[in-house]
Every structure is written in structure tokens, then in C-alpha cells.
Amino acid sequence: NQLIEAEENYTKSLAYFKQSKTKYGYARTSNGLASIKIRQEKLQEAAEILNEIREIYVYHDKLSGLSRALTDLGVIEFKLNRFDEAITLHEHAYQMRIKTSNIQGQITSLIELGQVYLEVKEYRKAAQKLEIAARLSEINTFKAKAYRAHELLARLYKEEGNLLKSLEHLERYFELKTQVLADESNGRLKLIQTQLLAEESLKRAN
């Protein structure tokens, strides 16, 4: 239901940006819509959206938007088992994010690359990408990205037969994921409290 609602909101926003001829806003909103399509497994629709907006990002020289579009296209190629294409797209996105000093984006690219290399059993390359991603995530307190990197590292070392290292990463994965879930719960609780206070203030005002 949340995905359907999000898709409807993005579609409404797209209509506004299209009418106002705001191409960059249109492209950014299209990125969000494509992400929803990917989660819905509507991969062809997502790819069409992303290929359309690549040209907009190139024209406006917006590397942040272009790198995100390339990352999402890489995710699509991974889901379609086209691993060489996925690696190429994620590497391009990674280089753009280095150029723009986008640490969070670099971590995303490293995790995506690590996942692809893990899938094709290139363990050395996968470990290199994921260890860097885990370290950068921990340093910059990107907990959600850190636990994803540790989750993949746990799988990697298990497949290699290094059960001790696998267990170390698995323990860190559960520790971080628990913290992220607690943070998200606290955030939702604060939002509900704010809404209730606003409603109460409105009642008193009337």
C-alpha cells in the first residue's frame, strides 16, 4: 500500500514538473518513481524512465543525479543476471561519486559492486569493495549501509569457509540492524507525538 501511495505521489509531482517545464525537477522525481518501479519488479518500466532522464542529467551536468540513475540501472541489470553490465554501470556511478566527494554515494556503489562480485563468486574483489564500504559506513555513522555491508561480508566469508570471520560480521550486522530499527521506531513515535500535539493545539485554537 505504501508503494502504491508513493507511486501516486511521484506521478502527481511529475505532472507538475512537466507542466512547469522544470526538467531537473522532473528528472529527480522520475528517479524516485523508477526506484518504486524497481521495488515492484517493474524493471522494463523503470529502465525506460532512467534512460530518459540520463540525457537530462548529462545536459545539465548533474553528476549526482546521473550517478543515481546509473546505480538504479545497475540494480536492474543485476536483477536480470546481466552482471558485466551491472558492474560497468556501478563503476561509472562510483567514479562520479568520487569526483563529487559524495561519500554516502560511494558507499552505495561499493556495496552494489560487492554484491555483484559476490554473486559471480569473485570473492577477492567482493571483499575489497565491501570491507571499504563497511569501514566508510562505520566512520561516517551510516548505520543502515554499514549493516548491509556486514551482512554481505558474513555471506562472503561463509561461502569461502571462513566461519570465524563470517560470524564476526554477522554479529556486527545484527548489532547495527537492531540500532537502526530502534532509531526508526523512535522517529515514528516522535512523528506521531508531533501530529497529536498539532491536532490538540488546533482543537484548543478553535
Side-chain angles (χ1 to χ4, degrees):
N1 290 335
Q2 289 180 335
L3 286 178
I4 293 171
E5 185 179 348
E7 183 178 9
E8 290 174 350
N9 290 334
Y10 275 121
T11 302
K12 290 176 184 177
S13 297
L14 275 179
Y16 165 76
F17 285 120
K18 194 169 186 178
Q19 185 178 11
S20 63
K21 297 182 180 180
T22 310
K23 287 189 175 181
Y24 184 61
Y26 176 85
R28 295 296 289 181
T29 305
S30 294
N31 247 143
L33 180 60
S35 296
I36 297 296
K37 297 285 187 184
I38 292 171
R39 292 180 65 185
Q40 294 172 328
E41 296 297 326
K42 298 177 182 178
L43 303 182
Q44 183 60 40
E45 291 181 36
E48 289 172 1
I49 293 169
L50 292 165
N51 282 315
E52 175 192 0
I53 62 176
R54 281 174 71 174
E55 297 179 9
I56 298 174
Y57 288 135
V58 170
Y59 179 80
H60 289 280
D61 195 27
K62 298 292 186 180
L63 293 184
S64 61
L66 181 57
S67 63
R68 181 182 171 189
L70 292 177
T71 295
D72 284 345
L73 284 166
V75 170
I76 292 171
E77 295 297 337
F78 177 79
K79 286 177 172 287
L80 295 172
N81 296 324
R82 297 199 286 250
F83 302 122
D84 288 341
E85 291 86 346
I87 288 170
T88 299
L89 288 162
H90 287 311
E91 281 289 0
H92 284 170
Y94 181 53
Q95 294 305 319
M96 289 179 188
R97 286 162 166 167
I98 290 175
K99 188 175 181 180
T100 58
S101 301
N102 181 350
I103 298 297
Q104 191 167 1
Q106 290 172 41
I107 294 167
T108 297
S109 293
L110 288 166
I111 290 173
E112 296 293 348
L113 282 165
Q115 184 176 17
V116 180
Y117 283 126
L118 177 57
E119 191 68 25
V120 297
K121 301 190 183 304
E122 292 195 35
Y123 295 126
R124 184 181 62 80
K125 291 182 179 179
Q128 181 187 40
K129 303 295 184 185
L130 293 170
E131 291 284 5
I132 295 172
R135 185 166 63 252
L136 285 175
S137 299
E138 297 267 12
I139 291 171
N140 293 278
T141 62
F142 297 137
K143 293 180 183 179
K145 293 187 182 298
Y147 84 64
R148 177 61 178 151
H150 285 292
E151 180 184 23
L152 291 169
L153 283 164
R155 175 186 157 193
L156 185 158
Y157 288 119
K158 181 180 179 182
E159 289 186 15
E160 282 195 316
N162 191 335
L163 299 184
L164 182 59
K165 288 197 76 171
S166 176
L167 182 59
E168 289 175 359
H169 285 289
L170 192 61
E171 288 176 345
R172 187 60 179 150
Y173 158 72
F174 281 118
E175 180 182 352
L176 287 166
K177 188 169 185 179
T178 299
Q179 292 175 16
V180 169
L181 291 174
D183 290 343
E184 289 176 350
S185 296
N186 289 334
R188 284 193 293 268
L189 179 60
K190 288 179 181 178
L191 178 61
I192 292 170
Q193 289 173 336
T194 301
Q195 290 173 337
L196 290 173
L197 287 172
E199 290 174 5
E200 187 64 30
S201 297
L202 186 60
K203 288 178 183 178
R204 287 198 297 267
N206 293 332

PDB file of all heavy atoms in Angstrom, residues 87-118:
ATOM      1  N   ILE A  87      28.185  -4.305 -13.374  1.00  0.00           N
ATOM      2  CA  ILE A  87      29.481  -3.839 -12.874  1.00  0.00           C
ATOM      3  C   ILE A  87      29.900  -2.553 -13.578  1.00  0.00           C
ATOM      4  O   ILE A  87      30.356  -1.596 -12.934  1.00  0.00           O
ATOM      5  CB  ILE A  87      30.554  -4.935 -13.069  1.00  0.00           C
ATOM      6  CG1 ILE A  87      30.305  -6.081 -12.076  1.00  0.00           C
ATOM      7  CG2 ILE A  87      31.961  -4.364 -12.877  1.00  0.00           C
ATOM      8  CD1 ILE A  87      31.143  -7.316 -12.331  1.00  0.00           C
ATOM      9  N   THR A  88      29.731  -2.512 -14.886  1.00  0.00           N
ATOM     10  CA  THR A  88      30.104  -1.311 -15.653  1.00  0.00           C
ATOM     11  C   THR A  88      29.333  -0.090 -15.175  1.00  0.00           C
ATOM     12  O   THR A  88      29.909   0.991 -14.952  1.00  0.00           O
ATOM     13  CB  THR A  88      29.846  -1.536 -17.152  1.00  0.00           C
ATOM     14  OG1 THR A  88      30.656  -2.628 -17.611  1.00  0.00           O
ATOM     15  CG2 THR A  88      30.193  -0.290 -17.956  1.00  0.00           C
ATOM     16  N   LEU A  89      28.032  -0.229 -14.984  1.00  0.00           N
ATOM     17  CA  LEU A  89      27.192   0.891 -14.540  1.00  0.00           C
ATOM     18  C   LEU A  89      27.571   1.343 -13.129  1.00  0.00           C
ATOM     19  O   LEU A  89      27.693   2.544 -12.864  1.00  0.00           O
ATOM     20  CB  LEU A  89      25.719   0.487 -14.597  1.00  0.00           C
ATOM     21  CG  LEU A  89      25.140   0.370 -16.010  1.00  0.00           C
ATOM     22  CD1 LEU A  89      23.853  -0.456 -15.996  1.00  0.00           C
ATOM     23  CD2 LEU A  89      24.866   1.749 -16.592  1.00  0.00           C
ATOM     24  N   HIS A  90      27.775   0.391 -12.232  1.00  0.00           N
ATOM     25  CA  HIS A  90      28.127   0.748 -10.857  1.00  0.00           C
ATOM     26  C   HIS A  90      29.520   1.383 -10.780  1.00  0.00           C
ATOM     27  O   HIS A  90      29.736   2.294  -9.968  1.00  0.00           O
ATOM     28  CB  HIS A  90      28.067  -0.483  -9.957  1.00  0.00           C
ATOM     29  CG  HIS A  90      26.667  -0.945  -9.663  1.00  0.00           C
ATOM     30  ND1 HIS A  90      25.682  -0.080  -9.238  1.00  0.00           N
ATOM     31  CD2 HIS A  90      26.088  -2.183  -9.731  1.00  0.00           C
ATOM     32  CE1 HIS A  90      24.556  -0.768  -9.048  1.00  0.00           C
ATOM     33  NE2 HIS A  90      24.781  -2.029  -9.349  1.00  0.00           N
ATOM     34  N   GLU A  91      30.454   0.933 -11.612  1.00  0.00           N
ATOM     35  CA  GLU A  91      31.790   1.537 -11.629  1.00  0.00           C
ATOM     36  C   GLU A  91      31.719   2.983 -12.119  1.00  0.00           C
ATOM     37  O   GLU A  91      32.389   3.861 -11.566  1.00  0.00           O
ATOM     38  CB  GLU A  91      32.730   0.728 -12.527  1.00  0.00           C
ATOM     39  CG  GLU A  91      33.272  -0.537 -11.887  1.00  0.00           C
ATOM     40  CD  GLU A  91      34.288  -0.267 -10.784  1.00  0.00           C
ATOM     41  OE1 GLU A  91      34.591   0.912 -10.500  1.00  0.00           O
ATOM     42  OE2 GLU A  91      34.778  -1.252 -10.197  1.00  0.00           O
ATOM     43  N   HIS A  92      30.903   3.234 -13.157  1.00  0.00           N
ATOM     44  CA  HIS A  92      30.743   4.603 -13.648  1.00  0.00           C
ATOM     45  C   HIS A  92      30.153   5.500 -12.561  1.00  0.00           C
ATOM     46  O   HIS A  92      30.610   6.635 -12.357  1.00  0.00           O
ATOM     47  CB  HIS A  92      29.842   4.609 -14.889  1.00  0.00           C
ATOM     48  CG  HIS A  92      30.529   4.131 -16.124  1.00  0.00           C
ATOM     49  ND1 HIS A  92      29.862   3.857 -17.299  1.00  0.00           N
ATOM     50  CD2 HIS A  92      31.837   3.856 -16.384  1.00  0.00           C
ATOM     51  CE1 HIS A  92      30.721   3.458 -18.211  1.00  0.00           C
ATOM     52  NE2 HIS A  92      31.921   3.432 -17.683  1.00  0.00           N
ATOM     53  N   ALA A  93      29.132   4.989 -11.883  1.00  0.00           N
ATOM     54  CA  ALA A  93      28.498   5.764 -10.810  1.00  0.00           C
ATOM     55  C   ALA A  93      29.507   6.037  -9.685  1.00  0.00           C
ATOM     56  O   ALA A  93      29.560   7.146  -9.135  1.00  0.00           O
ATOM     57  CB  ALA A  93      27.292   5.011 -10.263  1.00  0.00           C
ATOM     58  N   TYR A  94      30.307   5.033  -9.364  1.00  0.00           N
ATOM     59  CA  TYR A  94      31.309   5.176  -8.294  1.00  0.00           C
ATOM     60  C   TYR A  94      32.325   6.266  -8.624  1.00  0.00           C
ATOM     61  O   TYR A  94      32.651   7.111  -7.769  1.00  0.00           O
ATOM     62  CB  TYR A  94      32.014   3.837  -8.083  1.00  0.00           C
ATOM     63  CG  TYR A  94      33.062   3.844  -6.997  1.00  0.00           C
ATOM     64  CD1 TYR A  94      32.755   4.288  -5.709  1.00  0.00           C
ATOM     65  CD2 TYR A  94      34.355   3.390  -7.249  1.00  0.00           C
ATOM     66  CE1 TYR A  94      33.715   4.283  -4.709  1.00  0.00           C
ATOM     67  CE2 TYR A  94      35.312   3.378  -6.257  1.00  0.00           C
ATOM     68  CZ  TYR A  94      34.993   3.825  -4.989  1.00  0.00           C
ATOM     69  OH  TYR A  94      35.944   3.816  -3.999  1.00  0.00           O
ATOM     70  N   GLN A  95      32.818   6.271  -9.846  1.00  0.00           N
ATOM     71  CA  GLN A  95      33.793   7.286 -10.254  1.00  0.00           C
ATOM     72  C   GLN A  95      33.188   8.691 -10.200  1.00  0.00           C
ATOM     73  O   GLN A  95      33.870   9.658  -9.810  1.00  0.00           O
ATOM     74  CB  GLN A  95      34.319   6.983 -11.662  1.00  0.00           C
ATOM     75  CG  GLN A  95      35.142   5.705 -11.760  1.00  0.00           C
ATOM     76  CD  GLN A  95      36.311   5.675 -10.790  1.00  0.00           C
ATOM     77  OE1 GLN A  95      37.003   6.688 -10.597  1.00  0.00           O
ATOM     78  NE2 GLN A  95      36.544   4.529 -10.173  1.00  0.00           N
ATOM     79  N   MET A  96      31.943   8.828 -10.584  1.00  0.00           N
ATOM     80  CA  MET A  96      31.267  10.126 -10.498  1.00  0.00           C
ATOM     81  C   MET A  96      31.150  10.583  -9.052  1.00  0.00           C
ATOM     82  O   MET A  96      31.329  11.760  -8.735  1.00  0.00           O
ATOM     83  CB  MET A  96      29.870  10.039 -11.123  1.00  0.00           C
ATOM     84  CG  MET A  96      29.868   9.906 -12.617  1.00  0.00           C
ATOM     85  SD  MET A  96      28.175   9.766 -13.251  1.00  0.00           S
ATOM     86  CE  MET A  96      28.515   9.376 -14.970  1.00  0.00           C
ATOM     87  N   ARG A  97      30.869   9.657  -8.164  1.00  0.00           N
ATOM     88  CA  ARG A  97      30.695   9.998  -6.759  1.00  0.00           C
ATOM     89  C   ARG A  97      32.024  10.342  -6.094  1.00  0.00           C
ATOM     90  O   ARG A  97      32.066  11.142  -5.162  1.00  0.00           O
ATOM     91  CB  ARG A  97      29.987   8.842  -6.050  1.00  0.00           C
ATOM     92  CG  ARG A  97      28.514   8.800  -6.418  1.00  0.00           C
ATOM     93  CD  ARG A  97      27.830   7.497  -6.135  1.00  0.00           C
ATOM     94  NE  ARG A  97      26.380   7.675  -6.214  1.00  0.00           N
ATOM     95  CZ  ARG A  97      25.512   6.684  -6.267  1.00  0.00           C
ATOM     96  NH1 ARG A  97      25.931   5.427  -6.252  1.00  0.00           N
ATOM     97  NH2 ARG A  97      24.219   6.935  -6.332  1.00  0.00           N
ATOM     98  N   ILE A  98      33.102   9.753  -6.572  1.00  0.00           N
ATOM     99  CA  ILE A  98      34.427  10.159  -6.101  1.00  0.00           C
ATOM    100  C   ILE A  98      34.697  11.591  -6.545  1.00  0.00           C
ATOM    101  O   ILE A  98      35.192  12.420  -5.763  1.00  0.00           O
ATOM    102  CB  ILE A  98      35.513   9.215  -6.655  1.00  0.00           C
ATOM    103  CG1 ILE A  98      35.388   7.835  -5.999  1.00  0.00           C
ATOM    104  CG2 ILE A  98      36.907   9.794  -6.411  1.00  0.00           C
ATOM    105  CD1 ILE A  98      36.333   6.799  -6.579  1.00  0.00           C
ATOM    106  N   LYS A  99      34.352  11.887  -7.786  1.00  0.00           N
ATOM    107  CA  LYS A  99      34.584  13.217  -8.349  1.00  0.00           C
ATOM    108  C   LYS A  99      33.834  14.296  -7.582  1.00  0.00           C
ATOM    109  O   LYS A  99      34.331  15.413  -7.399  1.00  0.00           O
ATOM    110  CB  LYS A  99      34.167  13.228  -9.822  1.00  0.00           C
ATOM    111  CG  LYS A  99      34.534  14.496 -10.565  1.00  0.00           C
ATOM    112  CD  LYS A  99      34.210  14.381 -12.049  1.00  0.00           C
ATOM    113  CE  LYS A  99      34.599  15.644 -12.790  1.00  0.00           C
ATOM    114  NZ  LYS A  99      34.291  15.546 -14.247  1.00  0.00           N
ATOM    115  N   THR A 100      32.630  13.966  -7.112  1.00  0.00           N
ATOM    116  CA  THR A 100      31.803  14.948  -6.391  1.00  0.00           C
ATOM    117  C   THR A 100      31.945  14.829  -4.873  1.00  0.00           C
ATOM    118  O   THR A 100      31.222  15.490  -4.131  1.00  0.00           O
ATOM    119  CB  THR A 100      30.324  14.779  -6.769  1.00  0.00           C
ATOM    120  OG1 THR A 100      29.901  13.438  -6.475  1.00  0.00           O
ATOM    121  CG2 THR A 100      30.094  15.069  -8.245  1.00  0.00           C
ATOM    122  N   SER A 101      32.866  13.978  -4.418  1.00  0.00           N
ATOM    123  CA  SER A 101      33.106  13.770  -2.970  1.00  0.00           C
ATOM    124  C   SER A 101      31.843  13.348  -2.224  1.00  0.00           C
ATOM    125  O   SER A 101      31.609  13.750  -1.080  1.00  0.00           O
ATOM    126  CB  SER A 101      33.681  15.048  -2.331  1.00  0.00           C
ATOM    127  OG  SER A 101      34.891  15.421  -2.953  1.00  0.00           O
ATOM    128  N   ASN A 102      31.035  12.538  -2.883  1.00  0.00           N
ATOM    129  CA  ASN A 102      29.788  12.036  -2.288  1.00  0.00           C
ATOM    130  C   ASN A 102      30.089  10.721  -1.560  1.00  0.00           C
ATOM    131  O   ASN A 102      30.024   9.644  -2.161  1.00  0.00           O
ATOM    132  CB  ASN A 102      28.740  11.837  -3.380  1.00  0.00           C
ATOM    133  CG  ASN A 102      27.399  11.346  -2.840  1.00  0.00           C
ATOM    134  OD1 ASN A 102      27.286  10.972  -1.669  1.00  0.00           O
ATOM    135  ND2 ASN A 102      26.396  11.334  -3.683  1.00  0.00           N
ATOM    136  N   ILE A 103      30.426  10.817  -0.277  1.00  0.00           N
ATOM    137  CA  ILE A 103      30.831   9.632   0.492  1.00  0.00           C
ATOM    138  C   ILE A 103      29.699   8.612   0.584  1.00  0.00           C
ATOM    139  O   ILE A 103      29.907   7.411   0.370  1.00  0.00           O
ATOM    140  CB  ILE A 103      31.286  10.028   1.911  1.00  0.00           C
ATOM    141  CG1 ILE A 103      32.513  10.952   1.842  1.00  0.00           C
ATOM    142  CG2 ILE A 103      31.615   8.774   2.731  1.00  0.00           C
ATOM    143  CD1 ILE A 103      33.731  10.324   1.222  1.00  0.00           C
ATOM    144  N   GLN A 104      28.505   9.082   0.894  1.00  0.00           N
ATOM    145  CA  GLN A 104      27.375   8.160   1.029  1.00  0.00           C
ATOM    146  C   GLN A 104      27.106   7.445  -0.292  1.00  0.00           C
ATOM    147  O   GLN A 104      26.833   6.246  -0.325  1.00  0.00           O
ATOM    148  CB  GLN A 104      26.130   8.913   1.504  1.00  0.00           C
ATOM    149  CG  GLN A 104      25.001   7.999   1.929  1.00  0.00           C
ATOM    150  CD  GLN A 104      23.911   8.734   2.679  1.00  0.00           C
ATOM    151  OE1 GLN A 104      23.976   9.933   2.872  1.00  0.00           O
ATOM    152  NE2 GLN A 104      22.899   8.016   3.117  1.00  0.00           N
ATOM    153  N   GLY A 105      27.199   8.196  -1.385  1.00  0.00           N
ATOM    154  CA  GLY A 105      27.006   7.584  -2.694  1.00  0.00           C
ATOM    155  C   GLY A 105      28.105   6.588  -3.026  1.00  0.00           C
ATOM    156  O   GLY A 105      27.848   5.530  -3.609  1.00  0.00           O
ATOM    157  N   GLN A 106      29.337   6.915  -2.637  1.00  0.00           N
ATOM    158  CA  GLN A 106      30.451   5.988  -2.863  1.00  0.00           C
ATOM    159  C   GLN A 106      30.207   4.669  -2.132  1.00  0.00           C
ATOM    160  O   GLN A 106      30.456   3.587  -2.680  1.00  0.00           O
ATOM    161  CB  GLN A 106      31.758   6.611  -2.379  1.00  0.00           C
ATOM    162  CG  GLN A 106      32.255   7.764  -3.233  1.00  0.00           C
ATOM    163  CD  GLN A 106      33.443   8.468  -2.607  1.00  0.00           C
ATOM    164  OE1 GLN A 106      34.343   7.825  -2.064  1.00  0.00           O
ATOM    165  NE2 GLN A 106      33.468   9.787  -2.666  1.00  0.00           N
ATOM    166  N   ILE A 107      29.719   4.766  -0.915  1.00  0.00           N
ATOM    167  CA  ILE A 107      29.429   3.559  -0.134  1.00  0.00           C
ATOM    168  C   ILE A 107      28.366   2.718  -0.831  1.00  0.00           C
ATOM    169  O   ILE A 107      28.487   1.496  -0.934  1.00  0.00           O
ATOM    170  CB  ILE A 107      28.980   3.930   1.298  1.00  0.00           C
ATOM    171  CG1 ILE A 107      30.131   4.595   2.057  1.00  0.00           C
ATOM    172  CG2 ILE A 107      28.500   2.695   2.047  1.00  0.00           C
ATOM    173  CD1 ILE A 107      29.710   5.258   3.347  1.00  0.00           C
ATOM    174  N   THR A 108      27.325   3.384  -1.327  1.00  0.00           N
ATOM    175  CA  THR A 108      26.272   2.672  -2.057  1.00  0.00           C
ATOM    176  C   THR A 108      26.851   1.919  -3.241  1.00  0.00           C
ATOM    177  O   THR A 108      26.552   0.736  -3.454  1.00  0.00           O
ATOM    178  CB  THR A 108      25.199   3.660  -2.545  1.00  0.00           C
ATOM    179  OG1 THR A 108      24.573   4.273  -1.418  1.00  0.00           O
ATOM    180  CG2 THR A 108      24.143   2.953  -3.384  1.00  0.00           C
ATOM    181  N   SER A 109      27.696   2.603  -4.021  1.00  0.00           N
ATOM    182  CA  SER A 109      28.304   1.963  -5.194  1.00  0.00           C
ATOM    183  C   SER A 109      29.184   0.784  -4.791  1.00  0.00           C
ATOM    184  O   SER A 109      29.162  -0.270  -5.439  1.00  0.00           O
ATOM    185  CB  SER A 109      29.122   2.984  -5.975  1.00  0.00           C
ATOM    186  OG  SER A 109      28.298   3.973  -6.555  1.00  0.00           O
ATOM    187  N   LEU A 110      29.958   0.946  -3.729  1.00  0.00           N
ATOM    188  CA  LEU A 110      30.832  -0.138  -3.268  1.00  0.00           C
ATOM    189  C   LEU A 110      30.023  -1.355  -2.831  1.00  0.00           C
ATOM    190  O   LEU A 110      30.395  -2.495  -3.123  1.00  0.00           O
ATOM    191  CB  LEU A 110      31.709   0.358  -2.121  1.00  0.00           C
ATOM    192  CG  LEU A 110      32.832   1.328  -2.508  1.00  0.00           C
ATOM    193  CD1 LEU A 110      33.396   1.998  -1.264  1.00  0.00           C
ATOM    194  CD2 LEU A 110      33.933   0.598  -3.275  1.00  0.00           C
ATOM    195  N   ILE A 111      28.917  -1.111  -2.137  1.00  0.00           N
ATOM    196  CA  ILE A 111      28.065  -2.222  -1.700  1.00  0.00           C
ATOM    197  C   ILE A 111      27.456  -2.928  -2.906  1.00  0.00           C
ATOM    198  O   ILE A 111      27.420  -4.169  -2.970  1.00  0.00           O
ATOM    199  CB  ILE A 111      26.969  -1.720  -0.743  1.00  0.00           C
ATOM    200  CG1 ILE A 111      27.589  -1.311   0.589  1.00  0.00           C
ATOM    201  CG2 ILE A 111      25.906  -2.800  -0.517  1.00  0.00           C
ATOM    202  CD1 ILE A 111      26.621  -0.632   1.553  1.00  0.00           C
ATOM    203  N   GLU A 112      26.971  -2.142  -3.864  1.00  0.00           N
ATOM    204  CA  GLU A 112      26.375  -2.747  -5.065  1.00  0.00           C
ATOM    205  C   GLU A 112      27.411  -3.556  -5.839  1.00  0.00           C
ATOM    206  O   GLU A 112      27.135  -4.673  -6.291  1.00  0.00           O
ATOM    207  CB  GLU A 112      25.773  -1.659  -5.961  1.00  0.00           C
ATOM    208  CG  GLU A 112      24.602  -0.894  -5.353  1.00  0.00           C
ATOM    209  CD  GLU A 112      23.361  -1.740  -5.139  1.00  0.00           C
ATOM    210  OE1 GLU A 112      23.308  -2.884  -5.656  1.00  0.00           O
ATOM    211  OE2 GLU A 112      22.441  -1.272  -4.449  1.00  0.00           O
ATOM    212  N   LEU A 113      28.612  -3.008  -5.981  1.00  0.00           N
ATOM    213  CA  LEU A 113      29.675  -3.742  -6.669  1.00  0.00           C
ATOM    214  C   LEU A 113      30.044  -5.009  -5.906  1.00  0.00           C
ATOM    215  O   LEU A 113      30.222  -6.079  -6.507  1.00  0.00           O
ATOM    216  CB  LEU A 113      30.910  -2.843  -6.812  1.00  0.00           C
ATOM    217  CG  LEU A 113      30.846  -1.802  -7.930  1.00  0.00           C
ATOM    218  CD1 LEU A 113      31.933  -0.742  -7.729  1.00  0.00           C
ATOM    219  CD2 LEU A 113      30.988  -2.461  -9.291  1.00  0.00           C
ATOM    220  N   GLY A 114      30.145  -4.889  -4.592  1.00  0.00           N
ATOM    221  CA  GLY A 114      30.457  -6.051  -3.782  1.00  0.00           C
ATOM    222  C   GLY A 114      29.429  -7.153  -3.934  1.00  0.00           C
ATOM    223  O   GLY A 114      29.776  -8.340  -4.018  1.00  0.00           O
ATOM    224  N   GLN A 115      28.166  -6.757  -4.001  1.00  0.00           N
ATOM    225  CA  GLN A 115      27.103  -7.743  -4.154  1.00  0.00           C
ATOM    226  C   GLN A 115      27.196  -8.464  -5.504  1.00  0.00           C
ATOM    227  O   GLN A 115      27.014  -9.681  -5.581  1.00  0.00           O
ATOM    228  CB  GLN A 115      25.739  -7.064  -4.030  1.00  0.00           C
ATOM    229  CG  GLN A 115      24.577  -8.035  -4.092  1.00  0.00           C
ATOM    230  CD  GLN A 115      23.237  -7.367  -3.866  1.00  0.00           C
ATOM    231  OE1 GLN A 115      23.112  -6.155  -3.964  1.00  0.00           O
ATOM    232  NE2 GLN A 115      22.228  -8.142  -3.571  1.00  0.00           N
ATOM    233  N   VAL A 116      27.499  -7.712  -6.556  1.00  0.00           N
ATOM    234  CA  VAL A 116      27.627  -8.336  -7.882  1.00  0.00           C
ATOM    235  C   VAL A 116      28.819  -9.294  -7.902  1.00  0.00           C
ATOM    236  O   VAL A 116      28.704 -10.435  -8.367  1.00  0.00           O
ATOM    237  CB  VAL A 116      27.789  -7.278  -8.995  1.00  0.00           C
ATOM    238  CG1 VAL A 116      27.915  -7.977 -10.361  1.00  0.00           C
ATOM    239  CG2 VAL A 116      26.618  -6.313  -9.023  1.00  0.00           C
ATOM    240  N   TYR A 117      29.961  -8.839  -7.398  1.00  0.00           N
ATOM    241  CA  TYR A 117      31.145  -9.707  -7.385  1.00  0.00           C
ATOM    242  C   TYR A 117      30.915 -10.950  -6.530  1.00  0.00           C
ATOM    243  O   TYR A 117      31.393 -12.039  -6.856  1.00  0.00           O
ATOM    244  CB  TYR A 117      32.367  -8.931  -6.881  1.00  0.00           C
ATOM    245  CG  TYR A 117      32.958  -7.989  -7.901  1.00  0.00           C
ATOM    246  CD1 TYR A 117      33.149  -6.641  -7.611  1.00  0.00           C
ATOM    247  CD2 TYR A 117      33.338  -8.452  -9.164  1.00  0.00           C
ATOM    248  CE1 TYR A 117      33.703  -5.772  -8.549  1.00  0.00           C
ATOM    249  CE2 TYR A 117      33.882  -7.593 -10.104  1.00  0.00           C
ATOM    250  CZ  TYR A 117      34.055  -6.255  -9.797  1.00  0.00           C
ATOM    251  OH  TYR A 117      34.602  -5.397 -10.732  1.00  0.00           O
ATOM    252  N   LEU A 118      30.177 -10.788  -5.451  1.00  0.00           N
ATOM    253  CA  LEU A 118      29.852 -11.940  -4.609  1.00  0.00           C
ATOM    254  C   LEU A 118      28.984 -12.934  -5.369  1.00  0.00           C
ATOM    255  O   LEU A 118      29.180 -14.153  -5.283  1.00  0.00           O
ATOM    256  CB  LEU A 118      29.139 -11.459  -3.337  1.00  0.00           C
ATOM    257  CG  LEU A 118      28.652 -12.528  -2.354  1.00  0.00           C
ATOM    258  CD1 LEU A 118      29.796 -13.427  -1.896  1.00  0.00           C
ATOM    259  CD2 LEU A 118      27.994 -11.865  -1.150  1.00  0.00           C
TER     260      LEU A 118
END
